[in-house]
């Protein structure tokens, strides 16, 4: 093998989280086969240990910044931040999945292996400095996610969710790949920095048309992954049909990773043509907020309501992207970190409350939860208040920095309309609080089992992180601000 293809020790360190995740996921699959599928709980513990090791590896890699594998992978502050976010999301999902899977009689090692492979793909995505590597990471994450959505094979709702997710996701991936092909044809490179340099000197008319078409196609691919309008239609059906821990995972890790590559591509490669894509992102942000919030007003199913809520929050993040500034990038990073904790926490309560077969998913089923289980109701209240954006929660500062970045960029109307949308969103979140605390207890809250230790850890960790980010936002924002340059 030529010496140029032999990775150095420093390059392997920069790629260490992905190596750890892949090795542990493969080990879980091998042990699953050797034990005949009878060691699901132990393999869950192994997966948790692997994620903890990957988290430590991400910190080690972050202390050794630089490029790897001929510059195709970059280990910078931005990549390290999102690696930590998606791995932390994975840890929370594994913790809240055990009780759910045992309840449904489906705790197998393959579930945890798929989670680990998906997270490995997300880590590749956030560190990709080249479009083919980005595509490979996206496919690793997506294929694992398609299977996870239909993990409960006997459940027709899960099968429907998986088929819809796979078919629509395949079309979105095709759009993205066509966009990659066009930008390569126009610039002769798939490296993000090379594309940016080429676009600064490109000559019209044909290359300019290719570049515009490429940006539009890649926007479509990324917009699907983050459930932004007009490519958001898959999210409510998939979230409702998928197992609740999987829905929580889809709303956290893959979405954060997709936003990371969205930022890296459009703020690096397509930065010279910002005047062309900014109006599209502006319009998509507004449409996403409106569709998500007003559709959520009509929902009675908790998972479907949280799905539309997830769409609306994607719209808030798009507001900062439309501002195309380092301040906006830092705001997106902070917002996504806060969103992971508050949204995973909310889904974890729903997974616990819904019981076997997910029988209790109606908003009215929460009636009297405040009286029957005051601690659980209080934790859910923290997550809902953070999703609204109430002060002393991470959601408040997330929205504050998002809209401040938009104002600094001169996007006054988008900021005003975004704030009005936040006011609309308060209604459907507060409706859940009213049902929990002001309605008489019903059948659904009569025989709730006690919270398991792992689920308690998940809920308390999410709640403490949500409050910590709301009281000391500088703990994350300072690092995000230093890491938001994206190589510029």
């Amino acid at each position: 093998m030529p010496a140029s293809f032999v990775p150095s020790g420093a390059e392997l360190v920069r790629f260490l989280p992905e190596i750890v995740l892949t090795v542990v996921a493969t080990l879980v699959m091998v042990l699953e086969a050797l034990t005949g599928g009878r060691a699901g709980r132990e393999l869950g513990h192994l997966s948790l240990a692997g994620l903890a090791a990957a988290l430590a590896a991400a910190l080690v890699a972050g202390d050794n910044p630089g490029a790897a594998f001929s510059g195709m992978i970059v280990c910078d502050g931005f990549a390290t931040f999102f690696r930590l976010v998606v791995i932390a999301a994975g840890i929370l999902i594994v913790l809240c999945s055990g009780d759910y899977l045992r309840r449904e009689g489906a705790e197998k090692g393959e579930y945890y292996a798929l989670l680990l492979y998906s997270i490995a793909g997300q880590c590749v995505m956030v560190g990709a400095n080249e479009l083919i590597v980005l595509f490979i990471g996206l496919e690793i994450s997506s294929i694992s996610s398609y299977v996870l959505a239909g993990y409960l094979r006997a459940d027709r709702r899960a099968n429907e969710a998986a088929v819809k997710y796979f078919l629509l996701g395949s079309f979105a991936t095709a759009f993205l790949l066509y966009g990659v092909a066009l930008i390569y044809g126009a610039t002769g490179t798939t490296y993000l920095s090379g594309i940016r340099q080429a676009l600064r000197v490109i000559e019209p008319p044909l290359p300019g048309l290719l570049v515009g078409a490429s940006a539009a196609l890649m926007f479509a691919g990324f917009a699907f992954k983050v459930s932004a309008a007009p490519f958001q239609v898959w999210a409510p059906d998939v979230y409702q049909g998928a197992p609740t821990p999987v829905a929580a995972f889809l709303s956290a890790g893959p979405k954060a990773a997709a936003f990371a590559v969205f930022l890296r591509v459009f703020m690096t490669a397509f930065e010279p043509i910002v005047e062309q894509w900014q109006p599209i992102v502006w319009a998509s942000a507004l449409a996403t907020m409106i569709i998500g919030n007003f559709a959520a007003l009509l929902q009675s199913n908790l998972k479907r309501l949280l799905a539309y809520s997830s769409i609306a929050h994607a719209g808030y993040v798009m507001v900062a992207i439309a501002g195309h500034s380092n301040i906006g990038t830092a705001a997106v990073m902070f917002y996504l970190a806060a969103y992971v904790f508050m949204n995973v926490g909310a889904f974890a309560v729903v997974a616990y409350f819904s019981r076997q077969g997910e029988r209790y998913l109606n908003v009215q089923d929460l009636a009297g939860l405040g009286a029957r289980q005051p601690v659980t109701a209080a934790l859910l209240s923290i997550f809902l208040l953070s999703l609204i954006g109430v002060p002393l929660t991470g959601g408040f500062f997330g929205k504050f920095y998002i809209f401040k970045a938009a104002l600094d960029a001169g996007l006054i109307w988008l900021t005003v309309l975004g704030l009005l949308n936040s006011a609309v969103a308060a209604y459907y979140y507060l409706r859940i609080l009213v049902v929990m605390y002001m309605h008489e207890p019903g059948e659904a809250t009569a025989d709730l089992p006690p919270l398991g230790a792992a689920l308690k850890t998940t809920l308390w960790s999410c709640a403490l992180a949500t409050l910590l980010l709301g009281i000391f936002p500088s703990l994350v924002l300072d690092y995000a601000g230093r890491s938001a340059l994206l190589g510029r």
Side-chain angles (χ1 to χ4, degrees):
M1 180 180 291
S4 59
F5 292 102
V6 178
S8 66
E11 289 179 317
L12 292 176
V13 168
R14 291 166 191 152
F15 199 64
L16 191 56
E18 292 84 351
I19 295 173
V20 171
L21 289 167
T22 304
V23 169
V24 175
T26 305
L27 180 61
V28 168
M29 290 186 66
V30 171
L31 292 176
E32 168 77 0
L34 293 177
T35 60
R38 296 186 297 273
R41 181 176 297 191
E42 291 75 14
L43 294 178
H45 295 159
L46 175 60
S47 301
L48 201 60
L51 285 165
L55 196 71
L59 293 171
V60 172
D63 290 334
N64 296 271
F69 309 114
S70 300
M72 291 188 291
I73 296 289
V74 61
C75 180
D76 54 9
F78 184 83
T80 299
F81 181 91
F82 278 103
R83 276 174 168 173
L84 294 174
V85 168
V86 299
I87 294 172
I91 290 173
L92 294 172
I93 297 302
V94 170
L95 283 171
C96 73
S97 293
D99 290 345
Y100 178 93
L101 295 174
R102 284 190 288 275
R103 188 181 75 198
E104 303 295 333
E107 190 174 25
K108 303 289 185 181
E110 61 190 32
Y111 174 87
Y112 299 110
L114 288 166
L115 273 177
L116 292 172
Y117 280 128
S118 182
I119 296 166
Q122 293 159 35
C123 288
V124 172
M125 288 167 62
V126 303
N129 192 40
E130 197 262 352
L131 292 175
I132 301 302
V133 172
L134 186 157
F135 174 75
I136 292 171
L138 182 64
E139 282 301 279
I140 294 171
S141 175
S142 296
I143 292 172
S144 302
S145 299
Y146 300 151
V147 180
L148 283 170
Y151 178 73
L152 299 179
R153 291 185 285 272
D155 189 334
R156 285 184 291 181
R157 296 171 301 179
N159 292 334
E160 179 186 352
V163 170
K164 287 182 177 178
Y165 193 22
F166 169 71
L167 290 177
L168 294 175
S170 298
F171 281 110
T173 301
F175 286 143
L176 178 64
L177 198 55
Y178 276 123
V180 172
L182 289 180
I183 198 63
Y184 177 74
T187 64
T189 181
T190 52
Y191 282 85
L192 301 185
S193 55
I195 293 170
R196 181 182 58 199
Q197 292 172 3
L199 293 185
R200 287 175 175 166
V201 297
I202 199 166
E203 296 181 2
L206 183 58
L209 295 175
L210 286 177
V211 170
S214 170
L217 288 169
M218 293 180 72
F219 170 82
F222 293 141
F224 174 87
K225 297 301 179 183
V226 303
S227 62
F231 305 99
Q232 83 294 339
V233 292
W234 63 273
D237 291 341
V238 172
Y239 283 30
Q240 183 178 3
T244 303
V246 174
F249 177 68
L250 296 177
S251 72
K255 177 168 284 192
F259 268 121
V261 296
F262 196 143
L263 280 166
R264 195 182 283 279
V265 170
F266 277 80
M267 299 292 284
T268 302
F270 291 125
E271 184 266 338
I273 60 166
V274 64
E275 294 82 5
Q276 297 181 34
W277 58 259
Q278 184 196 26
I280 298 174
V281 175
W282 193 105
S284 178
L286 179 59
T288 304
M289 289 187 291
I290 291 173
I291 292 170
N293 283 320
F294 281 89
L297 293 173
L298 307 175
Q299 305 306 313
S300 58
N301 183 284
L302 284 166
K303 289 171 70 176
R304 203 168 182 87
L305 187 152
L306 288 174
Y308 279 111
S309 163
S310 179
I311 293 171
H313 283 274
Y316 301 138
V317 176
M318 296 281 283
V319 169
I321 296 177
H324 62 87
S325 66
N326 292 334
I327 295 174
T329 300
V332 169
M333 295 167 71
F334 180 89
Y335 194 95
L336 290 172
Y339 180 74
V340 162
F341 291 110
M342 56 190 176
N343 210 51
V344 170
F347 268 108
V349 174
V350 173
Y352 157 73
F353 181 82
S354 61
R355 319 274 244 292
Q356 186 174 11
E358 298 194 353
R359 302 191 307 274
Y360 301 112
L361 286 174
N362 196 286
V363 173
Q364 292 300 321
D365 290 333
L366 290 169
L369 183 64
R372 292 280 172 81
Q373 284 208 8
V375 174
T376 306
L379 292 171
L380 179 56
S381 299
I382 291 173
F383 305 135
L384 295 175
L385 292 174
S386 185
L387 288 166
I388 294 171
V390 172
L392 298 183
T393 64
F396 168 77
F397 279 109
K399 288 185 178 179
F400 174 80
Y401 293 125
I402 287 283
F403 292 128
K404 183 179 183 300
L407 280 176
D408 291 344
L411 304 178
I412 298 174
W413 275 108
L414 186 58
T415 302
V416 170
L417 294 170
L419 290 170
L420 291 175
N421 266 277
S422 294
V424 172
Y427 173 80
Y428 56 83
Y429 293 125
L430 291 174
R431 178 162 60 103
I432 298 175
L433 295 177
V434 169
V435 170
M436 283 198 302
Y437 287 104
M438 300 183 183
H439 288 198
E440 290 298 319
E443 174 190 353
T445 54
D447 299 311
L448 277 170
L451 287 169
L455 188 56
K456 279 184 181 179
T457 302
T458 303
L459 294 177
W460 280 104
S461 298
C462 290
L464 290 173
T466 299
L467 293 174
L468 193 65
L469 291 175
I471 299 171
F472 304 106
S474 60
L475 295 176
V476 171
L477 194 68
D478 290 346
Y479 182 84
R482 294 193 302 270
S483 306
L485 298 177
L486 293 179
R488 290 191 294 278

